[in-house]
Structure formats: structure tokens, C-alpha cells
Amino acid sequence: MDHGFRVHIVTWNVGSAVPPDDVTSLFGPHAGDGSTDMFIIGLQEMNSMINKRLKDALFHDQWSELCMDTLSRFGYVLVASQRMQGVLLLVFSKFCHLPFLRGVQTEKTRTGLGGYWGNKGGVSARMTMFGHPVCFLNCHLPAHMRNLEQRMEDFESILQQQQFDGATASGVLDHDVVFWFGDLNFRIENYDIHVVKSAIDSNKLPLLWERDQLNIAKNSESILDGFLEGPLKFPPTYKFDVGTHTYDTSSKKRKPAWTDRILWRLRCTGSPVPTHNAALQRGLTSWLGGATKVVQHSYRSHMGYTCSDHKPVSAVFSLHVSPTSLISLRNDLPFHLSLLDLPLVTLEYEKEWTKVSDATVRFTVRSNFQRSSWDWVAIYKVGFKHHKDYVAYVWAKADHGSQVTFTEEDLPRDAGEYILGFYSNNMNTIIGVTLPFQVRTLPAVFLPVFSDVSSEDDSTLVLLAPASSRSPSPGKSKHHHRHRRSRSPAHSNTPMPSLQGLSLHPRPLEGLPSSRSPCSAAKKERLVSPQDTLPSPISPLTPRSPVSPGGGVSAPEALIAAILGEHRPTQVTPTGGRSPGKTGETSL
């Protein structure tokens, strides 16, 4: 049976709260069984105080880290991320789908303070999924009952301003499927707070649907034509006393409302889009010219979370397209792909690595794929978080043929399951992956500790701030054909409390030739504070800016970006050292 391509969407206004210890239940009871193909998370009102924004601009925020830690355990990889002050969008996918998610781009539109402030607005991510353009739009619209017209104007402004590169779908509504969600802030009109609470307590929610501003607006606002939503069978998700399940008891006594919503829309074709009621009667199914079908399987709130005055909302959809061919990396992925979605790169490898000679990888590229000198093949531990969370990588330059070999010192030290991925710099994404394979325990290799220090009696050790995560960048490292192992932030070691923010780093003397042998004599040491040598910021992932040398961001620039509500993409190049995985603003 074909269950379609399953997408699980979560929206939550977190009210500047610190993340809870566990958010696994947001992703459903079957998050670990592989039945879901993509998870989409939209957050609003993340803590965006200046000091917090500066830290998040330099590193990754707690919510992103928690979601990556949770979903990576189940085999999901961060595909795209976009943040605008307190509004965040995260897109995760099964790693085996990565070669078929192409043209990943993100956008953001500020609507707060007349378009100058990013506390309100929308962030989006678009891509072609197996050849079909899909867009995810997370919005935080103006609050309060009286601002209905402003909400509609802001939504229209977001749709007009968000434009993407490429001819297939330049605007949000040009995509085959659009998912629109977030804290949309629509309220319940006419009824006072006592009537609303009484209807909730007596489970007479349909009485409130008729007064819901969004349901009313869909019948009168042309900008909402075609947007569909499932029935609101859960109580209003706003506003609660923080830490409780009790609706607002403060002096303001905000009226409960369904502010947190998830809708979808199919691109208009020659046939009319079904009306909301007609779609519900057909089982929440909608069509795109008879070729694309979207089915909503669930639409619910998660009332158990109490750290915010909003409750999270989730929905599960399956996407079906007209079958022209059934192609899959694995037999247990029963969805239809079109013929144009064959992998651009196919990797050939040994199914089990027990010796160094097994670490040779051959690859075949399709004729329509344009290679780059900055393409690379990486080894990933199963459960990796994003495309830069690699164990090691090797450059796959176009003039080096169609084979790469990992050196002995690059190979994983731990036995376990790994996969190989081919990263395209031109497409800013992984375009070829393998199935998991086993790496057995390989012979230990002695790695020099001070690879660039040659003098035995007058070399210097320097204590530096921790190096930032480095992206592959050819021509900058001494041995540009490979890169040593990197570690994800989740696996990095925490320095001793007395040396927080400092780490040992070799400092070669000028005028002396470098050597790869370790120093054997006693070393002189001096301390260099982080102010003397600023750490490079961890680079966000961005689909718009390829990895490029010299693209770091200074602390003042990051502060300015934080004040303006921007999460500026930065890219830094490797120096040959270890590279923790990075995450940030956007995509693979």
C-alpha cells in the first residue's frame, strides 16, 4: 500500500521560554519507526533579547539544538533553517531523501514596526521534493482582536515580498503545495470570555468555529482563496497561565482563541480548488488538477506542555503524486517518484570496512550534473545532525576523476554504522548518499599533537578560544585533498571550569619550517585571552551563499545583526583542524 510522502508539522509560540527537557511527544507516537518522511517545526516568540540574540548569532540556539538532538536519534537530518529574531523555521528529513530535496532556499519578511522589526512577520523554506515544488511558511501575525485587517495586510505583504530564485516557483503561491502555519493570532469574535469558556468546558467547540476570525475571513478575503484547514477538534490553545492548564486569570483576562494554526494550499490549475466544507466531506483531501493529492491524517494540540502561554499544535499530512515510476533507495519507502528524480550521483563502496584499503569510494555522476572544485565526499556517523556534522571528508574535484580515498588518519576510530554522502557546492546540498555500512575497529594511528611546531627548544603553545566549525574550502589547508575528523557539538568535550573558552593550539615560530612530528622537549607557554584572538563564529548553514573563504563575522557585526533581527549567514574555511558540525540560518 502506498502511504504517500508523510510530513509532520509542529507550530508553537514558546513565549521566550527555556526549552523543556524533552519534546519527543511533539513528533507523535511513531517518531522512531520511520513512517514520517519530514518533520517541520515553526516556533514563535523565542527569546530575542539583545544578549541572547548575540549568543545565538555566534552559536546555535537551544531550541534548534534540542530539536536536532531529538530527531537525529531517529535518523532525521536538518535540511533548512531560517530565523528572524523570535521566529524560527526548521526542516528535517530522513537522510535517504536528501538527494531528492533540491533547490533549497529560505526567505524572511519583517512586518513589525512597519517592516523594520522582525518580532512579527514570516520565515519560509522552499525546495523541490522529488521534482515537486513545496513551500513551508511560518508566520507570526499581529495580536489583538481589533487587528484583523492588519493581519491580512501583513500576510499579503509576506506573500508579495518573498521571492525565490529559479523559474519553477518564484513566489510562495507558485509552489505545488504550500503549508502555512504559526501564531496567526486570529481570535473569536462577538462572544465574551464567559461564553467562550462555557463552550470549551461543555465541549461545544463548533459554536466557536462560526465566530473564528480565520474561518470568517476565508469566505471574504481573496488572499486566503484555496487555503484549507482541518476541523478544530481541540480546545483553543491561547491564552494560559504559564505552568498550568488554566486559561488566563490575570487582570487582562485574555479570551481563549485558536491563535496557533496549520493550513495548506494547492496551486491553482484549470480545475477549481475545493471549498473548505467540501474538502472536509471528502476526508480532508485536496487535489491539484488530479495529479497531486494532500491528505491530512491528524490535527491536534499538545496540552501537556506548560512552559508557555500557548500550547503546541501539530498536524500530519501525506502527499501523493501521479505515479510515473516507482524508484527508491530502499524497498521500504513506498512513495512514487517521477522519472526525473534519479540521484545525480551514485556512490560505489565496500559494504564493510575492516582495513584501510576498503576506504576507497567510486562515484558516477549524471550527464546533467555540473561538478565543482569544492564538491566533497564525507563519512557520516548514522544519527548525524546536518550535512556538516561529518566524521571526515575528502575533496571530489572535477579534475581528480571519479574516485576518492580516505587516508588512514581520516578513518573513524569507533566501530559502528556510517554512511557516505556526496556534497555539491553548486547546489548547496547532499546529492548522493549510501545505505548504512559497517566500519569495524581499524588499527589505531598515532596522530601528531603539534603538527605545525618544529623547534624543540623554543616552540610556543598558545591557549586560544575554541576554534569555530569549519566548512570545507579548497586551497586553504596545507593538504587540501582531505579533512580530518570533525565532531558534532553534541559530542564535543567540555573544557575544565578554570579554562572555559580556552583550548590548546600550536603556534609555529616565524621563519622556521613546519614539521608534522610531535615536539619532544619542554615547551614554553603563554596565555592569550579570547580578546587577543577572537574565535570565529560558528557558521550558519545557508543555501544562498556557498562556502567561501574569509566569510567570518566579527563580534560587532554579529551584535548589529542581532539588534536588527538578522541571523547573518557566515562561512569560514578550514585550517586543517577538527570541525564541529554547524547549524544556523538555513540549508544544506
Side-chain angles (χ1 to χ4, degrees), residues 31-45:
D33 66 7
S35 61
T36 301
D37 295 288
M38 295 186 77
F39 285 99
I40 316 297
I41 300 122
L43 303 180
Q44 308 85 38
E45 284 195 29

Side-chain angles (χ1 to χ4, degrees), residues 417-466:
E417 282 195 318
Y418 295 82
I419 72 167
L420 294 164
F422 188 105
Y423 180 85
S424 166
N425 182 72
N426 290 334
M427 302 182 70
N428 295 300
T429 188
I430 292 176
I431 60 170
V433 294
T434 68
L435 297 177
F437 63 94
Q438 286 288 332
V439 173
R440 304 300 180 189
T441 303
L442 297 169
V445 180
F446 177 75
L447 297 178
V449 178
F450 309 111
S451 60
D452 295 320
V453 181
S454 59
S455 172
E456 293 188 355
D457 57 352
D458 197 24
S459 61
T460 304
L461 291 180
V462 183
L463 286 172
L464 294 175

Side-chain angles (χ1 to χ4, degrees), residues 56-61 64-65 68 78-83 88-91 106 386-388 538-543 567-570 581-587:
D56 291 345
L58 295 173
F59 305 100
H60 37 258
D61 64 89
S64 295
E65 187 68 28
M68 285 192 292
L78 182 66
V79 175
S81 172
Q82 177 67 283
R83 181 173 179 180
L88 175 68
L89 176 63
L90 301 171
V91 177
T106 62
H386 46 81
H387 78 283
K388 291 178 182 176
I538 290 184
S539 164
L541 315 179
T542 170
H567 197 63
R568 297 189 58 179
T570 62
K582 300 173 291 217
T583 178
E585 183 163 312
T586 177
S587 77

